[in-house]
Amino acid sequence: MADTQQTSPASQSASLRTSDDRRIKSIAIVGGGTAGWLAAAMLARALPGTGTVITVIESPDIGTVGVGEATIPPILDVLRFLSIDEGDFIRHTQATYKLGIKFSDWKQLGHTYWHPFGTFGAPIIRRPFYHCWHKARAAGLVPHFNDYSVCAALGDAGKFRFPDGNPDSPAAGLRYALHFDATLVAKYLRSYCERLGVTRIERTVKGAIRRPDGFLDELQFADGSTLRADLYIDCSGFRGVLIEQILGTGYLDWSAMLPCDRAVAFPTASASARPPYTHSRARSAGWHWRIPLQHRTGNGYVYSSAYCSDDEAREDLIRSLGEKPLADPRYLRFVTGRRKLFWNRNCVALGLASGFLEPLESTSIHLVTSGLYHLLEHFPDKDFDPTNIDSYNDELIFENERVRDFIVLHYCLTQRDDTPLWRYCQSMAIPDSLRQRIELFRRTGRIRWRAGELFTDLSWFYIFEGLGVRPDRYDPLLDVVTVGKLSELLASMANSTAAVATAAPTHDSYFTARTASGKRAATAL
Ligand code: FAD
């Protein structure tokens, strides 16, 4: 075949040079909150030696949200990605360890359940353990949840340990995350970024010039100066200065299925024994969070303004804590939902600028880093190929909507009917994707996990189980395991879990040892 299109080495290098010229050489990140500094850090780390100029623009007049203190285990991968030493990070951000979330009063008043990290029991005949759990129940056995979750057992005992390198130990499947001081994290990441050559400027964006094709061409600041970049990252918080105010991307409002739209937050003194978990307590118009840090405790009430005023929310939080606030309460307003597009033209929105899901499962910071990993997978050139942008948006929309479903699950399965909010939650319309998942679980005990979803089948199981959903049947493949054998295996797993919990040190010992000696606690940090 005549190969008229074959390129000579010379023309190949010419086309390479062309593509080189199309490389992104400058990135402007608007916002210096957690999202902005995480974006700067991950991009600076991923683009070393490319000569790409990264500039973070922080407004001297507009503050950060300053909350966002609970994370999920992938945060540790982010630290590894950034080559940040975990112990150093923990010391500088007053962090504590987190083994999961304990939910009180969500199913019914007085009831508590766990969404722990890590594994639950061990598979039997390669079936996930939660199927064995369903069979045990059907056989009249009464297994105790904490006997199969090392994280829940440690959490209830106020203890902590690191995962075991021995794959046969129940502590091999232990996973943990961190609680940290969001302001200290932004400060830490800022100095990390500055060491990597990121430029920081203090300016307030007041507008932007757009090219004829609608792309952002140049930022205009309140002081009259301007900045031009190839790629713009909008981390400007709820305002969405670029993605919404300038590009008018549009917002999908999910508040009909997630009716909380306000929060009040304040710190109290550090607890005498800091628990290794986030505590979420359902209240009449929403829920309280309690997050233990080394130097203080973070508290907040996420509530629906349809059922509770700001003053009532603040009083409810103060009364229920019975502790003195260490600072004035902060009030936050939000509309749960997402931008119609996370990436529009040459602008990618991250953090609160991209949308908001209430912090019930500590997902916001994770979604920032997930957005950044996806951005690196789809890193553009100046052509901004629309198929590349579509692919990014598809992946992020899928991930965000499945996280939304997971959070809605906590509300819609409540058995509480004591206040208007909880009655509303029992009857509100929910997405088909969630309805189908609940139906499948109710009928079969199965949970279908799809690639790209943050929460695994196990996380879904924890919430179904915690909220009292009992499937109609168990996995028939488990019929080959006799009840006697199952009971024996359950007893052996329970013994190993108890042994791990008994041997572990208290969570607080990791921090008191350091405070007492002024040095790192050798075991932890
Ligand atoms: P912000 O912190 O609002 O920062 C915005 C930045 O943009 C600021 O630096 C500001 O100066 C700048 N800016 C704004 N406008 C302009 C302008 N015109 N020009 C220049 N700069 C501008 N997430 C979790 O993962 N875990 C949690 O436990 C958690 N709890 C939360 C509790 C509540 C009540 C809320 C509301 C959120 C919570 N989040 C949590 C979410 C988390 O706080 C955010 O995802 C995170 O802080 C990122 O915020 P951000 O950087 O996007 O925005």
Side-chain angles (χ1 to χ4, degrees):
M1 190 172 78
D3 196 352
T4 47
Q5 295 190 342
Q6 199 172 33
T7 48
S8 67
S11 66
Q12 268 174 2
S13 76
S15 81
L16 279 176
R17 260 202 308 279
T18 313
S19 105
D20 221 37
D21 289 343
R22 303 301 299 153
R23 259 197 10 237
I24 297 291
K25 300 206 179 66
S26 52
I27 304 175
I29 300 171
V30 177
T34 313
W37 285 114
L38 271 171
M42 289 180 67
L43 291 169
R45 182 77 195 159
L47 303 168
T50 57
T52 311
V53 176
I54 301 176
T55 307
V56 173
I57 300 129
E58 283 186 276
S59 167
D61 308 316
I62 304 166
T64 61
V65 157
V67 284
E69 306 190 319
T71 63
I72 53 177
I75 190 71
L76 303 178
D77 296 325
V78 174
L79 296 183
R80 282 190 282 274
F81 176 89
L82 297 174
S83 298
I84 288 176
D85 176 71
E86 190 180 308
D88 187 62
F89 184 79
I90 287 173
R91 270 193 303 288
H92 285 92
T93 60
Q94 296 285 339
T96 62
Y97 298 109
K98 172 179 170 187
L99 292 167
I101 306 175
K102 203 160 152 176
F103 292 94
S104 298
D105 300 334
W106 278 85
K107 177 184 164 204
Q108 293 150 346
L109 284 168
H111 177 267
T112 289
Y113 74 91
W114 265 96
H115 176 189
F117 300 139
T119 48
F120 184 60
I124 300 178
I125 59 156
R126 301 169 66 89
R127 304 307 298 142
F129 182 71
Y130 59 84
H131 287 303
C132 314
W133 176 266
H134 300 325
K135 166 151 178 162
R137 275 247 181 74
L141 304 173
V142 191
H144 180 54
F145 184 89
N146 282 17
D147 286 346
Y148 309 97
S149 165
V150 173
C151 287
L154 288 171
D156 274 335
K159 293 183 165 189
F160 179 79
R161 61 157 292 166
F162 291 97
D164 200 322
N166 169 9
D168 296 328
S169 160
L174 182 154
R175 294 287 173 272
Y176 65 96
L178 302 173
H179 299 119
F180 50 48
D181 180 322
T183 310
L184 296 178
V185 169
K187 199 168 145 198
Y188 186 95
L189 291 174
R190 175 179 153 187
S191 66
Y192 172 93
C193 288
E194 287 177 339
R195 283 198 303 277
L196 288 190
V198 171
T199 308
R200 170 183 173 271
I201 57 172
E202 282 197 17
R203 302 273 193 290
T204 300
V205 176
K206 80 160 198 341
I209 295 178
R210 294 174 70 178
R211 298 185 335 214
D213 58 4
F215 278 57
L216 298 174
D217 192 23
E218 191 175 75
L219 300 181
Q220 298 173 308
F221 299 123
D223 66 358
S225 60
T226 58
L227 180 83
R228 176 169 279 170
D230 299 326
L231 173 65
Y232 295 85
I233 313 278
D234 188 348
C235 296
S236 63
F238 290 125
R239 286 175 178 77
V241 170
L242 305 183
I243 196 82
E244 198 59 59
Q245 292 181 358
I246 292 170
L247 292 176
T249 301
Y251 195 77
L252 293 178
D253 181 339
W254 291 336
S255 46
M257 55 187 131
L258 287 169
C260 292
D261 58 354
R262 298 269 201 286
V264 55
F266 57 76
T268 53
S270 149
S272 53
R274 304 166 189 89
Y277 54 83
T278 304
H279 191 205
S280 164
R281 179 183 294 278
R283 303 296 293 173
S284 59
W287 58 278
H288 288 180
W289 81 72
R290 193 153 167 83
I291 296 178
L293 304 180
Q294 290 187 48
H295 60 322
R296 61 170 171 78
T297 305
N299 310 281
Y301 186 0
V302 174
Y303 55 97
S304 165
S305 60
Y307 304 111
C308 178
S309 71
D310 294 347
D311 289 346
E312 285 166 342
R314 185 196 59 236
E315 287 312 306
D316 184 67
L317 187 59
I318 292 176
R319 219 179 19 254
S320 96
L321 291 172
E323 293 169 45
K324 207 167 145 325
L326 295 181
D328 288 340
R330 283 193 78 173
Y331 296 92
L332 299 131
R333 294 171 170 224
F334 50 84
V335 180
T336 298
R338 68 164 174 86
R339 295 281 166 229
K340 288 187 178 160
L341 297 172
F342 293 99
W343 182 341
N344 186 354
R345 299 181 169 86
N346 55 345
C347 174
V348 175
L350 292 169
L352 302 174
S354 69
F356 186 63
L357 280 161
E358 59 166 85
L360 188 56
E361 284 284 352
S362 324
T363 43
S364 291
I365 294 170
H366 172 80
L367 290 171
V368 171
T369 56
S370 174
L372 283 158
Y373 285 127
H374 281 92
L375 177 59
L376 293 174
E377 291 287 316
H378 291 84
F379 202 73
D381 58 23
K382 286 184 195 164
D383 292 336
F384 286 97
D385 189 309
T387 57
N388 185 52
I389 296 177
D390 288 349
S391 168
Y392 176 91
N393 280 321
D394 285 351
E395 288 176 16
L396 284 222
I397 289 168
F398 179 77
E399 183 180 35
N400 273 263
E401 294 196 344
R402 295 299 77 74
V403 171
R404 174 206 62 194
D405 288 359
F406 187 65
I407 294 175
V408 174
L409 182 76
H410 296 63
Y411 284 93
C412 72
L413 292 182
T414 184
Q415 295 173 18
R416 282 186 64 163
D417 58 4
D418 54 308
T419 68
L421 171 81
W422 297 108
R423 286 194 288 277
Y424 173 80
C425 290
Q426 285 197 30
S427 59
M428 66 188 176
I430 59 171
D432 286 345
S433 45
L434 175 57
R435 182 178 310 288
Q436 284 158 11
R437 200 167 272 213
I438 295 173
E439 217 34 49
L440 180 68
F441 184 81
R442 279 194 205 281
R443 288 170 187 233
T444 67
R446 296 198 169 104
I447 302 152
R448 267 188 80 191
W449 178 87
R450 289 171 202 228
E453 285 190 52
L454 171 59
F455 290 103
T456 62
D457 53 343
L458 198 47
S459 284
W460 283 80
F461 161 74
Y462 291 139
I463 311 306
F464 282 129
E465 170 65 21
L467 291 171
V469 183
R470 303 283 176 262
D472 295 344
R473 49 180 76 79
Y474 64 86
D475 186 338
L477 294 181
L478 279 166
D479 276 339
V480 296
V481 182
T482 64
V483 174
K485 182 68 187 168
L486 181 60
S487 171
E488 213 178 280
L489 290 168
L490 290 180
S492 151
M493 286 183 211
N495 285 339
S496 340
T497 307
V500 168
T502 306
T506 65
H507 177 238
D508 235 27
S509 66
Y510 291 88
F511 311 107
T512 45
R514 183 157 62 86
T515 314
S517 68
K519 291 190 194 132
R520 292 167 52 165
T523 42
L525 310 177

